Amino acid sequence: MTKKRWKFSFNAALFLIWLILFGFIAIKAPNFLKPNYLISVMLRNIIEIGMVALPMTLIIITGGIDLSVGNIMVLSCMLGGMAATAAGDVAAVLVTLLVGVLCGILNGLLIAKVKITPMVTTLATMYLYLGLARGITRGDSIYAYPFAAFMGNTVVLGLPIQIWLYILLAVIFVYVLSKTTLGRKIYSIGLNPNAARYAGIKTDRILIGIYALAGLICALAAFIWLGRFTSIKYDAGTNFNLKVITVVVLGGTSINGGIGDMKGTILGTLIIATLNSGLTVLNIPIDVQTIVQGAVLMIALISYAVLNERAKKKKILKVEDAKNAG
């Protein structure tokens, strides 16, 4: 039997980048290694972005994009908080989840049924949800209610509850994308939607489903976000959308669709979490932090392109060898 040789994959490159970053920051600022800092600052502050990045990976693999996720999260927060004031926690939870799912379904319907491109659709709905959040609340802040405070601040077995929730969601998403028929169908839609449709895949139903799922995860993140910050204004999700997309693209998911990996998204989340908290503990100015984050994203994308090109060349050589052997 021939032993399988380990291949240096893009995920391995990402993991190496993360180790180098983590090690460098730990050497420069030993306080970074304190368990309380790693858990309560590094991991806790990235959870909402990491959660929403999971369904965003599915969306981008299909060749789509969702620029409205941050605004869905904030609108869910706003209406849920208002429901809590009027009718209590149970109503707040139901309203938050319902708003998130309905916003996601609207995105999916416009993309799958009306055939408006995902970027144009979600750019429009981003402003729609932003305007609704501002108009409904008249610019006022929404304050945390008991369930949101529970989700944002409860610790279970030494870890904040939102970290446990993220781990659970990450395991589910990794399994669905890599081990199920649905995962293969999602890749098929991204590679060639017309061919997928002719093959009998219900592309419209899947697209609506994953955008609705993104809305649901945004609603779950809304509980945590509101609980952590205790109050939120209508414009709180302005930069959230691009941060989520950055994590997904950093993880190796192609913006053109058909290529991506949930494990890469998880590694991308870790890299951004390490950068955000590490540069802060090093007292790096915020403008420099932005430059460094952009540079790391560029390095990751370049390495992804190089590894992809090498993989293509190897496949071509194998095909040519097979033809010559025949």
Side-chain angles (χ1 to χ4, degrees):
M1 286 180 67
T2 57
K3 291 183 179 180
K4 288 185 178 180
R5 289 196 301 175
W6 182 76
K7 294 180 180 178
F8 189 72
S9 64
F10 180 69
N11 282 349
L14 278 180
F15 185 70
L16 184 60
I17 289 172
W18 176 67
L19 279 181
I20 292 169
L21 277 173
F22 192 90
F24 175 78
I25 294 169
I27 291 169
K28 291 289 184 179
N31 288 337
F32 180 72
L33 288 176
K34 290 183 177 179
N36 188 54
Y37 189 86
L38 290 175
I39 293 170
S40 300
V41 179
M42 188 183 94
L43 295 179
R44 195 163 173 255
N45 287 342
I46 199 69
I47 287 299
E48 296 91 346
I49 292 172
M51 284 174 60
V52 179
L54 298 173
M56 182 69 82
T57 304
L58 302 182
I59 288 171
I60 294 180
I61 287 174
T62 64
I65 201 163
D66 192 343
L67 299 174
S68 68
V69 285
N71 303 93
I72 293 176
M73 187 174 69
V74 171
L75 182 60
S76 300
C77 266
M78 296 292 172
L79 293 178
M82 294 175 71
T85 302
D89 268 27
V90 174
V93 172
L94 293 176
V95 168
T96 301
L97 295 174
L98 184 61
V99 170
V101 171
L102 288 177
C103 288
I105 289 174
L106 176 60
N107 286 344
L109 286 172
L110 291 172
I111 291 164
K113 296 297 186 182
V114 186
K115 306 300 180 186
I116 304 174
T117 58
M119 183 170 287
V120 173
T121 296
T122 57
L123 182 64
T125 56
M126 177 184 77
Y127 286 109
L128 171 64
Y129 303 147
L130 175 65
L132 285 172
R134 181 177 183 176
I136 291 168
T137 61
R138 297 179 181 179
D140 294 334
S141 297
I142 290 294
Y143 296 92
Y145 46 90
F147 182 77
F150 171 81
M151 291 298 293
N153 301 294
T154 302
V155 176
V156 178
L157 299 175
L159 288 178
I161 194 170
Q162 60 262 47
I163 295 179
W164 290 114
L165 178 59
Y166 174 76
I167 292 170
L168 175 62
L169 289 172
V171 169
I172 293 171
F173 274 85
V174 168
Y175 177 79
V176 168
L177 187 59
S178 61
K179 301 293 183 182
T180 67
T181 304
L182 176 60
R184 291 191 288 273
K185 289 177 179 178
I186 288 170
Y187 280 113
S188 299
I189 293 170
L191 289 169
N192 193 324
N194 291 326
R197 196 174 294 112
Y198 286 127
I201 296 173
K202 299 183 187 300
T203 57
D204 289 355
R205 184 180 298 179
I206 290 173
L207 287 174
I208 294 170
I210 60 176
Y211 279 95
L213 178 61
L216 176 62
I217 301 298
C218 286
L220 291 176
F223 295 128
I224 297 166
W225 217 28
L226 183 57
R228 281 206 306 123
F229 292 105
T230 68
S231 69
I232 284 177
K233 293 198 73 172
Y234 70 92
D235 59 350
T238 304
N239 297 320
F240 187 87
N241 309 316
L242 292 180
K243 289 178 180 178
V244 172
I245 294 168
T246 297
V247 164
V248 177
V249 174
L250 178 60
T253 299
S254 172
I255 207 74
N256 296 318
I259 298 171
D261 179 58
M262 203 63 70
K263 294 172 187 174
T265 296
I266 295 168
L267 286 168
T269 304
L270 274 176
I271 290 171
I272 295 298
T274 304
L275 271 177
N276 287 345
S277 56
L279 294 177
T280 300
V281 81
L282 290 173
N283 295 317
I284 304 297
I286 190 66
D287 52 342
V288 179
Q289 289 187 32
T290 306
I291 294 169
V292 171
Q293 289 170 1
V296 170
L297 178 58
M298 286 182 63
I299 291 168
L301 292 176
I302 291 168
S303 62
Y304 173 71
V306 170
L307 289 170
N308 245 12
E309 192 63 30
R310 287 180 180 176
K312 286 179 183 178
K313 287 180 180 178
K314 286 180 180 179
K315 286 180 181 179
I316 292 170
L317 289 173
K318 284 180 180 179
V319 171
E320 289 177 350
D321 289 343
K323 285 181 179 178
N324 294 333

